[in-house]
Amino acid sequence: ELAGKAALLLHCRFVLVLRRLDRLSDQAPTRAQKSCDAMRRGAMGIYRIFAGSDGESHMEELRLEEHPELGALTNINEVRVQQFDGTRKRDFHPLPERRLIIHLSGEVEIGTSDGSRHVFRAGDIRLMEDVTGRGHTHVDRSPSSAVYVILKD
């Protein structure tokens, strides 16, 4: 089931890229495309967590239309699907590498050192770029699963 959800989310990203190129505009929508449309109408969001020049971590919402590079990542080092039991609770920490995280299930709360907090749910995407500075906090609010795309620098 997790692999199917991961495949659907990745497929949605590729459908968005293809639509942007107008390759699908004259075709009838497929069942997967209809699922992608439904997912986009929901509360799905794309967020970037990054270290500012002040050494503090910050969070910003991204629009795919303004960041087309997110729809066709080519600098991928590793992809894995992971499940968590809902017990992770970490104080401020930077990450060892940049990663894109696609949430498949559950809820995770991320906090940044500028005071921002956000709860990520199925369909949400985090571009984690806080590899320096104070980093972010992480609290599992429930068991969860996600696709981790480890990016090359």
Side-chain angles (χ1 to χ4, degrees):
E1 181 182 350
L2 285 177
K5 286 181 181 180
L8 176 60
L9 285 170
L10 291 173
H11 174 78
C12 288
R13 289 285 151 236
F14 291 118
V15 167
L16 288 173
V17 171
L18 292 176
R19 278 193 180 158
R20 190 163 327 311
L21 297 173
D22 291 324
R23 291 184 186 163
L24 298 177
S25 60
D26 58 347
Q27 299 177 6
T30 66
R31 186 171 46 146
Q33 289 166 339
K34 289 178 185 176
S35 296
C36 294
D37 290 341
M39 192 178 293
R40 277 196 306 279
R41 284 191 302 274
M44 179 179 118
I46 303 173
Y47 297 84
R48 176 178 175 237
I49 289 82
F50 62 99
S53 59
D54 57 359
E56 301 297 326
S57 59
H58 307 278
M59 187 179 315
E60 66 180 350
E61 188 167 7
L62 302 177
R63 295 175 44 101
L64 187 58
E65 297 80 24
E66 297 168 1
H67 299 276
E69 68 277 7
L70 295 176
L73 295 173
T74 57
N75 59 339
I76 296 172
N77 189 42
E78 178 184 356
V79 177
R80 60 182 178 252
V81 178
Q82 292 190 285
Q83 294 183 23
F84 302 98
D85 63 5
T87 61
R88 294 177 301 166
K89 184 175 182 177
R90 299 203 51 203
D91 201 3
F92 286 101
H93 65 285
L95 292 175
E97 75 277 313
R98 293 174 54 242
R99 53 180 82 161
L100 185 78
I101 301 170
I102 305 166
H103 291 270
L104 302 177
S105 67
E107 292 185 343
V108 172
E109 182 178 287
I110 299 296
T112 56
S113 60
D114 69 2
S116 300
R117 293 196 178 295
H118 186 80
V119 176
F120 293 90
R121 297 176 176 90
D124 286 335
I125 299 171
R126 285 187 282 151
L127 176 59
M128 303 297 292
E129 296 186 313
D130 60 336
V131 296
T132 61
R134 249 181 111 190
H136 63 278
T137 61
H138 179 118
V139 177
D140 285 345
R141 297 177 109 200
S142 69
S144 64
S145 59
V147 175
Y148 280 67
V149 181
I150 308 303
L151 302 172
K152 295 178 186 173
D153 283 331

